[in-house]
Amino acid sequence: MPTMLASDLPLPRIGRGKVRDIYAVGDDRVLLVTTDRISAFDVVMAETIPMKGAVLTQISAFWFNELEGVVPHHMISADTDEIIGELPVLDSHRADIRGRTMLCRRANVFPIECVIRGYLSGSAWKEYAKQGTLAGEKLAPGLVESTKLEPAIFSPATKAETGHDENITIARMREAVGDEVAYTLESMTRAVYRLGEKLARDQGIIVADTKFEFGRDQDGRIILIDEVMTPDSSRFWAVDAYQPGQPQPSFDKQPLRDYLDAERRAGRWNGDAPSPPLPASVVDATSKRYLEAYRRVTGVDLAI
Ligand SMILES: Nc1ncnc2c1ncn2[C@@H]1O[C@H](COP(=O)(O)OP(=O)(O)OP(=O)(O)O)[C@@H](O)[C@H]1O
Ligand SMILES: [Mg+2]
């Protein structure tokens, strides 16, 4: 299967994110194309990771299917034949888009990243270690790094156009979207994470934290959009390697991070773009980790 750095499809392109290209399909649908781009330490690499786009799209599709009846969502189809049946203009691009493409209901996106944390890690651990709080709220004293948080903590952020997303209080979120929407987004976030965290843990993956996006469809319904509980939108840890009291290896990106750290320590990379060229062994190990993440979450090998 060919890898993809950027797509070029005969549809109106309405967006290009760090990882996805977004095309309009009429006025009420979008086609999300997930490329094989990868970033680490906030730098997008020059290399593509084989199968990464398909893994991300098909993990999201798996979750949307599991979430049927739990929350309304945007997925119409992630099956390439079905999508080409709807959009015959894509027939000559079949090899490029296979597995990585999702046809979705178009939404008006709320400008909020709905982050939920079931474990104390990353920026949340840094804030807690410094001042005993998470998103400004006091937590119990004496918690260790990577500890399980019960209940999970909802910590929204704004969707920054450039640079880092900024954590905001729930009060700020209410001002931005109104009390009722804020309440609905938090409840939906908790419902999706509750289901996903449990199902993934039974399969050997800890979804330590994750980020959801929501929007309103043409009928005014609030729906779950974007990608769902993938290694890119979440911290994935291996259940069998979990050791509270320390940072956890990243299930998917650790080979890449270790390589980049070594390049930095050796003085061959200053941490900014452009990234150093990746050896084939690192690209290959990373691709295998993504495929293994798919296998663990869904219980089967990726077949596309
Ligand atoms: N159903 C939908 N309707 C409209 N827009 C959507 C829908 N689903 C996802 N999107 C948007 O498509 C984009 C996905 O692209 P991608 O994930 O590459 O962006 P990104 O780099 O994550 O953007 P950001 O850096 O802001 O997170 C996001 O801006 C998301 O809000
Ligand atoms: Mg995104």
Side-chain angles (χ1 to χ4, degrees), residues 7-299:
S7 68
D8 185 15
L9 300 179
L11 292 171
R13 199 180 79 218
I14 54 172
R16 171 162 282 168
K18 286 189 283 288
V19 180
R20 280 173 194 79
D21 294 342
I22 305 111
Y23 296 86
V25 178
D27 15 294
D28 58 352
R29 293 182 297 174
V30 287
L31 190 73
L32 295 190
V33 182
T34 307
T35 68
D36 299 313
R37 299 195 282 269
I38 191 166
S39 63
F41 304 120
D42 281 331
V43 177
V44 180
M45 306 289 122
E47 290 78 5
T48 49
I49 303 299
M51 303 303 287
K52 178 175 180 274
V55 164
L56 297 183
T57 296
Q58 299 305 322
I59 287 181
S60 295
F62 170 82
W63 289 124
F64 284 126
N65 284 323
E66 290 291 323
L67 288 165
E68 219 53 70
V70 179
V71 295
H73 60 74
H74 74 165
M75 183 171 77
I76 299 168
S77 177
D79 179 289
T80 306
D81 292 335
E82 260 174 49
I83 292 172
I84 292 174
E86 284 277 310
L87 301 168
V89 61
L90 297 180
D91 196 25
S92 55
H93 300 265
R94 185 181 293 267
D96 281 343
I97 65 172
R98 198 149 60 92
R100 66 172 82 252
T101 309
M102 190 179 286
L103 183 61
C104 302
R105 276 173 273 278
R106 185 168 184 167
N108 250 326
V109 184
F110 292 113
I112 305 279
E113 309 264 4
C114 292
V115 179
I116 185 155
R117 302 172 183 279
Y119 293 76
L120 189 54
S121 179
S123 64
W125 163 249
K126 277 200 195 115
E127 179 185 326
Y128 176 78
K130 198 164 137 211
Q131 58 200 47
T133 59
L134 204 181
E137 313 277 343
K138 265 227 149 349
L139 290 190
L143 301 179
V144 298
E145 184 170 12
S146 306
T147 197
K148 191 171 193 333
L149 296 165
E150 284 179 293
I153 293 174
F154 178 67
S155 66
T158 53
K159 263 173 80 72
E161 287 299 321
T162 55
H164 291 288
D165 299 331
E166 184 201 343
N167 291 332
I168 56 170
T169 59
I170 307 236
R172 277 255 330 268
M173 175 176 169
R174 287 204 192 101
E175 281 165 30
V177 296
D179 288 2
E180 206 173 313
V181 170
Y183 175 81
T184 305
L185 299 194
E186 176 171 348
S187 316
M188 287 172 77
T189 295
R190 289 187 179 281
V192 176
Y193 181 68
R194 198 179 305 122
L195 179 143
E197 194 269 340
K198 182 178 181 320
L199 214 148
R201 189 153 31 79
D202 292 344
Q203 304 276 10
I205 293 274
I206 293 172
V207 182
D209 51 42
T210 193
K211 177 216 85 175
F212 302 120
E213 292 189 35
F214 296 90
R216 255 190 220 284
D217 71 8
Q218 314 280 316
D219 304 330
R221 260 190 338 164
I222 296 179
I223 60 174
L224 177 63
I225 64 165
D226 204 51
E227 61 179 329
V228 172
M229 289 182 287
T230 72
D232 274 19
S233 66
S234 326
R235 268 196 182 82
F236 274 21
W237 299 336
V239 168
D240 40 29
Y242 174 61
Q243 296 254 1
Q246 58 191 60
Q248 309 301 304
S250 154
F251 189 82
D252 44 300
K253 285 196 184 149
Q254 207 58 42
L256 176 58
R257 290 201 183 142
D258 290 347
Y259 177 76
L260 293 173
D261 268 336
E263 287 300 284
R264 219 164 6 186
R265 277 198 308 273
R268 286 192 290 264
W269 183 44
N270 66 4
D272 297 330
S275 53
L278 303 179
S281 58
V282 172
V283 169
D284 188 51
T286 306
S287 177
K288 289 205 165 90
R289 299 298 264 173
Y290 273 85
L291 286 164
E292 175 63 15
Y294 178 88
R295 187 177 306 124
R296 288 223 189 169
V297 168
T298 66

